Amino acid sequence: MDSIKLIKDLTNAFGPPGFEEDVVAVAEKYVPAGYTTKRDSLMNFFMYKDSHKPDAPTVLIDAHSDEIGLMVQAIKPNGMIVFHNLGGWVPMVLLAQKMLIRNLDGKLITGVIATRAPHFGGITEAPKLDSLVLDIGAKSREEVEKEYKIAPGCPIVPKADFEQQGDTMIAKAFDDRLGCAIVLEALEGLSDSQLRIVGTLSSQEEVGLRGARVVGNHVTPDFAICLEGAPADDTFAEAHMVQTRMGKGPMLRIIDSGMITNPRALRFAKQIAAKEGITIQEAVRTGGGTNGGALHMSGLGVPVIVISCPVRYAHSHHSMASLSDYKACVALTTAIVRALTDEIIQGF
C-alpha cells in the first residue's frame, strides 16, 4: 500500500461530522483483500476479516473519519455567511483562511473567513467564534441562496491540500485521517491473522464520540485499539512537560478526560514496543478525548489502548506530522495484534 497516496487521498477528502461519505468512498478503494465491508446509517464504516478460528476473540481497530468543520447557520442581507462550529476551533486560526462549502447541488464553493486589515486597526483582541463570518464574494443573501445554492445546513471544511517535505507531511484533517490510514495499513498486515479482526472508521467523533458508541455496541470487541492523530506539544510546552514530540514515535495515552487506559493492556503494548524496537512516548492528558472513551464503556467493558501519531497544529488548516511516526504506528498496531491471544486478552 502506498502510504503517501493513501494519506493524501484521505486528508484531501471532504468530511466534517455527519458528512463523512467522501472519506468512506476513499477508504473503500484501499480495503485489503479478504475483508468484507458495510456502512451504517451514521456512516460508520466496517471492515471484517472473514477467515478466523471459531470462537476467536474479536479485536477492533478503530479511527474516526470526521474532521473538524463548520456549518452554515444563517446568511446576512449583505451576503456574509454566519456559521456554527462542528468540533473544537481556536477562532484565531480561522481568520483570513480559505474554506470550502458544499452547496445544495454538491458543488464546492470557496470562501474566506472575514478579518479586518491592519489599515483599519486589525484585530486587537482574540475574536469569539460567533463573531466571525464567511465571505464568498456575494453581494446579497439572494445571490448566496439562488446563484451559489447555499442554505443553512450546508457543511464547511478548511481548504488545504496535502504536501510532503522529506519526512514531514502538511495537511488538514490529520486528526484523524492519519488514524484511518493506519487502520487500513494494519488490516493489510493482519490479513493472515486467525483472530476475528474488525476495522472501523467511525463517524462524528469531533462532536461527541457518537459513531464510536454505535460501533462498540455493534462489534462487541474483546479488545480494541484506537488510532489517533494526537496534538503535539513540542513547540510550546516547557521541556519537562513535553509528552508528544513529532518525530519521536507513537504516543500511548495513559489518561485523558474520557478514559484511564487499562494499565495491564498498556503494559502489554509497551512490552511489544520494546520487543519490536519501536520507540514510544507516553502522555498524561488533562483534557481532550478519543473514541476510547466510548469504546471502553461499551458492552460489559472493553480493554482499550490509544496509539497516536503526533500532530503539530492539530485542528487547523495546516497540521504537521512525521511519516516515520506514522509508519511506526502501523508497525506497533500490527505487532500488538499479532501477539494477542485469548488468554492474554482475558488477563487484561
Side-chain angles (χ1 to χ4, degrees):
M1 198 173 291
D2 184 336
S3 298
I4 290 296
K5 187 176 186 306
L6 171 63
I7 295 168
K8 179 179 180 179
D9 289 349
L10 286 169
T11 54
N12 284 349
F14 185 102
F19 300 87
E20 297 91 350
E21 294 92 342
D22 286 7
V23 186
V24 170
V26 170
E28 285 177 324
K29 299 176 183 178
Y30 288 94
V31 176
Y35 290 83
T36 57
T37 66
K38 75 171 188 177
R39 58 177 79 178
D40 66 15
S41 64
L42 267 70
M43 203 48 61
N44 291 313
F45 183 55
F46 300 83
M47 296 164 279
Y48 300 90
K49 191 173 74 65
D50 297 327
S51 58
H52 57 80
K53 290 181 178 179
D55 301 322
T58 299
V59 176
L60 173 65
I61 307 175
D62 172 78
H64 67 89
S65 58
D66 59 317
E67 62 186 296
I68 58 166
L70 306 167
M71 179 181 283
V72 175
Q73 184 177 26
I75 303 166
K76 292 188 173 185
N78 65 357
M80 293 293 177
I81 295 169
V82 179
F83 51 78
H84 175 67
N85 63 299
L86 297 175
W89 286 98
V90 175
M92 286 290 287
V93 308
L94 282 166
L95 293 174
Q97 294 282 1
K98 288 182 181 180
M99 307 296 292
L100 288 174
I101 308 172
R102 173 155 285 165
N103 74 3
L104 297 176
D105 292 336
K107 183 180 178 181
L108 296 178
I109 307 297
T110 299
V112 176
I113 302 293
T115 188
R116 186 186 304 162
H119 312 72
F120 305 113
I123 301 297
T124 57
E125 58 183 30
K128 294 183 178 180
L129 197 68
D130 60 8
S131 71
L132 302 179
V133 293
L134 182 60
D135 183 0
I136 63 168
K139 301 177 182 65
S140 66
R141 178 169 56 215
E142 289 73 19
E143 184 181 357
V144 174
E145 293 173 340
K146 295 179 180 179
E147 299 297 325
Y148 288 95
K149 305 292 181 65
I150 292 172
C154 286
I156 306 167
V157 299
K159 184 175 184 178
D161 290 328
F162 175 92
E163 298 178 50
Q164 183 186 10
Q165 297 180 156
D167 189 55
T168 298
M169 303 178 291
I170 304 172
K172 70 174 180 68
F174 278 157
D175 177 8
D176 184 29
R177 305 290 163 70
L178 286 178
C180 295
I182 295 166
V183 170
L184 289 162
E185 290 215 47
L187 292 182
E188 183 179 56
L190 294 165
S191 59
D192 60 346
S193 173
Q194 293 300 298
L195 300 177
R196 181 174 182 262
I197 306 287
V198 181
T200 54
L201 306 186
S202 51
S203 64
Q204 300 190 43
E205 188 266 1
E206 297 291 359
V207 289
L209 319 184
R210 296 172 187 174
R213 298 179 195 279
V214 175
V215 164
N217 291 329
H218 178 76
V219 176
T220 60
D222 297 294
F223 177 75
I225 300 176
C226 288
L227 284 309
E228 264 289 355
D233 52 8
D234 55 346
T235 59
F236 61 86
E238 294 182 75
H240 70 280
M241 290 297 290
V242 175
Q243 297 183 325
T244 313
R245 293 175 172 85
M246 192 177 98
K248 297 297 183 181
M251 181 265 273
L252 297 178
R253 189 172 299 215
I254 300 170
I255 186 174
D256 58 28
S257 63
M259 183 179 79
I260 300 172
T261 302
N262 180 300
R264 295 161 296 283
L266 184 60
R267 189 180 308 118
F268 176 76
K270 291 163 64 176
Q271 290 169 351
I272 297 301
K275 180 180 177 182
E276 297 293 324
I278 299 171
T279 301
I280 61 166
Q281 308 177 73
E282 296 181 79
V284 172
R285 287 285 171 88
T286 57
T290 73
N291 277 344
L295 292 175
H296 85 289
M297 293 191 294
S298 63
L300 299 177
V302 180
V304 178
I305 62 168
V306 180
I307 301 175
S308 299
C309 187
V311 173
R312 288 179 180 168
Y313 324 121
H315 285 212
S316 75
H317 283 60
H318 308 294
S319 301
M320 279 188 175
S322 162
L323 181 60
S324 58
D325 286 343
Y326 167 84
K327 288 184 176 294
C329 287
V330 174
L332 180 58
T333 302
T334 305
I336 289 170
V337 176
R338 283 197 173 280
L340 288 171
T341 64
D342 188 45
E343 183 180 3
I344 289 172
I345 293 173
Q346 292 299 321
F348 293 155

